Amino acid sequence: MESTTSPTSPRGPLEPPPVVRVDYHFHTAFSYDSEVTPEAALERAQEANIDVLCVTDHDTIDGAVKMKGMPCPNVRIVVGCEFTAEDGSHIIGLDLRDLFDTRSVLGILENIKLQGGLVLLPHLFRRGTGIFRNEMRRSDEFVHQVLSRADLVECHNGRDNWENNERSRRLAVSLGIPAVAGSDAHSTATLGSVFVEYAQGELRHGLSPRRIFFPTQAPKAENPAKRRMMELYHRHRKTLPPVVDAAYRTLKGWLKPDSGHAAAPRAQYELGFFGEGASARHRER
């Protein structure tokens, strides 16, 4: 168990080196499932010592553009969007200038690239929205085409479970794809509960050496029977009566609300330069 406090010397606590903290995944009230106003988001980002906030609302950049135009010298806004593909997959684009109408997976990836943006693959294995979720049974060719266009992988998502996060981390490390992390917050309480820390002046998204912080999750795998049942639901979701889908969403909200205060984030991973993913050190604290 390593201490999370600053080192000391006879002259007193040593000042930690200047750092830049980035939360790569956040939703404002411009998303259908969040009520966080831009003003409240900026206030909370400052309280959480987040220096760069990637605003990734669902299928819109309006919230991000509005926040980027608001006076707040302590928080830099990255204009992003969490696109919903026609098959339900979520794909994040960062440093965007415009939206586009394409909703095929490969079309979204290409259009993000065409405007000079970065492709971030969030919660890769989450049911219903993860691009590599089990129920989709992706072909090797599809997986290759997606990964060849990806700039970043979300190795930890603040709203996903341990098993899915661990699968995402292992994929990023094994393939040497730059890994980052995001809170995926839909409330002010959890904004900044997950972040990536870079040294000041070395912020190159996913390329510079970085440390990833998040609240420790218990290493717990999902019950196989529950997994199969839920995958079956998502595979046939479009053909089910609307009342079933509505009941599922309501139950899901009751069981896992995004409310209350998140546990304190702790340093979990220390990652080197791009190409050194296989030697990433996992620090349990």
Side-chain angles (χ1 to χ4, degrees), residues 92-94 109 112-113 116-121 146-154 176-180 205-207 210 274:
I92 289 178
L94 300 176
L109 298 174
I112 292 171
K113 293 286 195 179
L118 296 174
V119 171
L120 167 59
L121 302 181
V146 170
L147 292 178
S148 66
R149 293 165 171 81
D151 297 294
L152 306 166
V153 164
E154 190 177 63
I177 301 175
V180 295
H205 294 294
L207 300 181
R210 60 211 178 278
F274 174 62

Side-chain angles (χ1 to χ4, degrees), residues 54-230:
C54 299
V55 181
T56 56
D57 287 318
H58 292 291
D59 302 307
T60 180
I61 62 173
D62 291 350
V65 170
K66 179 175 181 177
M67 289 184 66
K68 194 173 182 67
M70 295 170 63
C72 186
N74 297 327
V75 182
R76 180 162 70 86
I77 300 299
V78 173
V79 175
C81 177
E82 187 168 19
F83 295 97
T84 305
E86 58 193 5
D87 67 1
S89 300
H90 285 184
I91 301 165
I92 289 178
L94 300 176
D95 289 327
L96 300 178
R97 299 190 307 271
D98 304 293
L99 282 181
F100 42 82
D101 295 329
T102 305
R103 283 298 175 265
S104 69
V105 168
L106 297 182
I108 291 171
L109 298 174
E110 292 295 345
N111 275 274
I112 292 171
K113 293 286 195 179
L114 284 173
Q115 58 181 283
L118 296 174
V119 171
L120 167 59
L121 302 181
H123 47 75
L124 282 76
F125 301 100
R126 179 184 291 171
R127 280 189 297 265
T129 57
I131 197 165
F132 298 145
R133 58 198 185 274
N134 292 347
E135 65 264 25
M136 294 304 292
R137 301 173 180 175
R138 302 297 198 186
S139 67
D140 291 343
E141 176 61 22
F142 177 88
V143 172
H144 172 74
Q145 290 189 60
V146 170
L147 292 178
S148 66
R149 293 165 171 81
D151 297 294
L152 306 166
V153 164
E154 190 177 63
C155 76
H156 184 91
N157 176 283
R159 289 167 59 88
D160 215 342
N161 61 45
W162 175 87
E163 189 174 21
N164 287 345
N165 281 329
E166 183 64 8
R167 290 179 68 187
S168 295
R169 183 191 71 84
R170 288 179 177 176
L171 181 144
V173 169
S174 65
L175 298 179
I177 301 175
V180 295
S183 65
D184 195 3
H186 291 63
S187 71
T188 54
T190 50
L191 193 165
S193 59
V194 178
F195 59 85
V196 182
E197 185 179 84
Y198 297 87
Q200 185 72 261
E202 294 188 24
L203 174 54
R204 293 182 300 150
H205 294 294
L207 300 181
S208 304
R210 60 211 178 278
R211 295 197 299 168
I212 294 179
F213 288 71
F214 55 87
T216 301
Q217 288 185 303
K220 181 180 179 181
E222 188 173 42
N223 182 289
K226 176 187 175 184
R227 182 189 301 117
R228 286 194 294 270
M229 181 181 68
M230 299 309 295

